[in-house]
Structure formats: structure tokens, C-alpha cells
Amino acid sequence: MRAPLKYLLAATGLLALACNSTTNEDGFLGVPLPAPDNLASVSLNQAIELDWSDNAFTSAPSRFLSYRVYSATYDLDLGLCGARWDVEGTTVAPEFLVGALTNGVPRCYGVSALSTDGAESARSPLRQDTPRPDARNVLVYAFGTRPDSSGFRFWDDVNNDGVGQASELGLIEPGNATDIDFVIHQHPDSSLWIVPVFTGTTMLSYGSVADLTSIDFAPEAGYSRDSLQARVGYGYVFSMNDGELHYGAVRVTHVGRQYVILDWSLQTDRGNPELTVRGGLLTAKPSGSAVGRLH
């Protein structure tokens, strides 16, 4: 549970953001440690992983106490952090996992350093990121083998609430449905191909990628309704527009004669191109972006 700060950001309070020193129990003002030099983030399923430089600790190990992690709402369209900042928690390590988040809802983050004499540093550079769902090792059959399990749909927002529930995401559907995003077809040479189906779905090949996390942002252009051969280790990015634009991605991990196995990810936030996640034991790529303005 987040604990709200006792103050809101305002024009007269911006200085407090930059220099948040306090008085310790002896009445002496502590000298703040340096603010963390940078802040990076990784989009996860209902979570955001944050990490930053450990320069506050290395500058004065004997005075270092902990890091404090803050978050606020974020307006993706305006590029603005909200006025109210909440405390997510503290940590002695230069990393923190923010959990229990709602997929598709952006938030803004900042980190300060606390010293043993009661001072709090300025905030790190601010960063925004958006959690989103992903899944691993999904099997999709070729239409000629099992038509009822040959189609894939990233998201069917059944209740129209704009929130991706688990039962609405990564759906294996009949390959003859017209509202699926793609179907797997087998060519006469036994190769398997990814074929866009829904009229608003287009795709592109991202090329060979080490992991689904290598697809960090959906490209702005290059999409088409052409079929693409399913190749092991290749990533494919999808642009889906049914009145609202969403992006998804898959990475093919196995291609047989009757089916493919793939990892998939989806950004449920409308128009948001962030597609990086972390899964299994592989290292995730940074996502999100730096923020330079406040309400």
C-alpha cells in the first residue's frame, strides 16, 4: 500500500523536490547525499522494475542509509507527471520492484537518497513507464492440422473496460474467425506462415532477436498485411487498430510441421509503443523514457 506524501507539488514547492533536506533529532541540518545520477526502468506484467546508479552510497558509505522510491500518475499524451507523489518504499540496493500495478496505466518514478543524519537528497532524473502483460511458450497449431486452435488474438476486451484481464489476453481461437489477429497456415513445402486476419491488424518482421525483451519499442512504420514465414528466433510486431491503436509482439521459439510455439507481449495502453518485458531468467532491456516536466 502506498503512503501519500504530506505535501503536493506546486510552483512554490519545486525547490523542495530538488533539495529535500530535513533536520535530525539533534536539531542539526544534514547535508544531502548526491541524488542518483540516472534512473532506468523495465516494463513487466503488473510491475515495473527500477534501477539506478549507486553513486549516493559510494560517495559516503558511512552516511548512507537507504534509497526512497516515489511514484506519481503520468499523462502519456501530455508528457506530464502528476502533482501528487506517493512513497513506494525504501531499499538499500540500487534497484526496486514496484508491484501490484494495473497493466496499461503509466506512472512516473523518481528516487532520492537518505542519509543517517536525517537528510534527503534531490530526486534522480524522473522516468515514466507502463506495465503490460506477456506470456511464454504458447502453442498455436497450423490451420490444416487443428483449425480450432490455429488462430491467435492478443486481446478481446469482452467487458469494454479498457483493462486487460487474464481471461481476455493471449487467446487461442479458431483460425476461421474474422476477429483474430493472425492465423498459422502451412505451405506445400511444410513451412508455417503467420497470416494477419482482422482488417485492422498489420505486422512486420523485427528480425532475429535474442529474446522477446529485445523488442523494446514498436516501430512507427513498415507494417503490412503480407504473410510472413515463422522462423525460430525471429520477432514480429503487430499494429492493431479497431478504433483504438494497440501494439503487440511475438517471438517464435519453435517451428514444427504442425504448430509453432511463441512468446507474446501486448501493450494495453492505447497508442503506447513500449513493448519490453522480462520473462524467465533472461535479462530485460530498459523501457520507459526520461521525464523533464511536471504539472
Side-chain angles (χ1 to χ4, degrees):
M1 181 69 66
R2 299 188 182 98
L5 291 180
K6 295 181 180 179
Y7 58 88
L8 300 179
L9 291 182
T12 58
L14 291 177
L15 183 58
L17 253 180
C19 188
N20 218 11
S21 298
T22 58
T23 302
N24 65 18
E25 61 183 6
D26 297 322
F28 296 103
L29 185 67
V31 178
L33 295 169
D37 286 335
N38 54 58
L39 178 61
S41 61
V42 174
S43 303
L44 304 175
N45 185 20
Q46 297 183 319
I48 295 292
E49 191 272 340
L50 301 170
D51 59 85
W52 53 90
S53 57
D54 204 17
N55 58 289
F57 168 77
T58 58
S59 68
S62 63
R63 293 186 57 232
F64 175 81
L65 179 63
S66 63
Y67 292 105
R68 179 175 287 165
V69 180
Y70 294 91
S71 78
T73 58
Y74 183 74
D75 190 315
L76 186 68
D77 296 324
L78 297 177
L80 295 173
C81 298
R84 173 191 169 108
W85 288 82
D86 300 323
V87 177
E88 292 287 351
T90 58
T91 175
V92 295
E95 59 185 10
F96 190 85
L97 182 66
V98 185
L101 298 176
T102 301
N103 285 331
V105 178
R107 286 193 71 82
C108 195
Y109 299 94
V111 179
S112 67
L114 305 177
S115 61
T116 56
D117 51 15
E120 181 173 7
S121 76
R123 302 277 173 84
S124 67
L126 301 181
R127 192 166 188 86
Q128 67 83 20
D129 210 334
T130 311
R132 39 41 89 77
D134 77 320
R136 303 278 170 163
N137 299 324
V138 176
L139 190 149
V140 187
Y141 280 94
F143 184 81
T145 302
R146 283 191 56 178
D148 63 333
S149 302
S150 61
F152 184 87
R153 182 167 179 172
F154 284 94
W155 184 17
D156 183 5
D157 191 10
V158 177
N159 56 7
N160 294 313
D161 66 350
V163 178
Q165 281 87 21
S167 61
E168 300 176 337
L169 302 171
L171 304 176
I172 304 300
E173 303 276 1
N176 58 0
T178 59
D179 55 359
I180 58 175
D181 290 304
F182 64 85
V183 63
I184 301 297
H185 275 300
Q186 185 184 63
H187 280 200
D189 63 357
S190 295
S191 62
L192 299 185
W193 291 69
I194 304 171
V195 183
V197 175
F198 180 67
T199 55
T201 298
T202 55
M203 70 175 182
L204 57 80
S205 173
Y206 203 82
S208 179
V209 292
D211 183 66
L212 185 64
T213 61
S214 300
I215 308 175
D216 49 1
F217 275 80
E220 293 183 1
Y223 299 89
S224 76
R225 291 186 54 76
D226 295 339
S227 302
L228 295 173
Q229 185 175 354
R231 300 180 183 273
V232 174
Y234 272 57
Y236 305 86
V237 181
F238 293 79
S239 172
M240 298 158 284
N241 196 333
D242 60 357
E244 290 189 350
L245 177 63
H246 295 276
Y247 293 100
V250 303
R251 179 182 180 270
V252 176
T253 59
H254 175 82
V255 179
R257 293 197 174 190
Q258 298 181 329
Y259 57 80
V260 301
I261 299 176
L262 52 84
D263 301 336
W264 65 269
S265 61
L266 170 72
Q267 179 52 266
T268 57
D269 187 28
R270 174 178 51 84
N272 191 334
E274 295 175 1
L275 285 171
T276 297
V277 297
R278 180 172 65 188
L281 300 176
L282 298 175
T283 301
K285 286 180 171 289
S287 60
S289 62
V291 178
R293 295 181 294 169
L294 297 172
H295 277 310

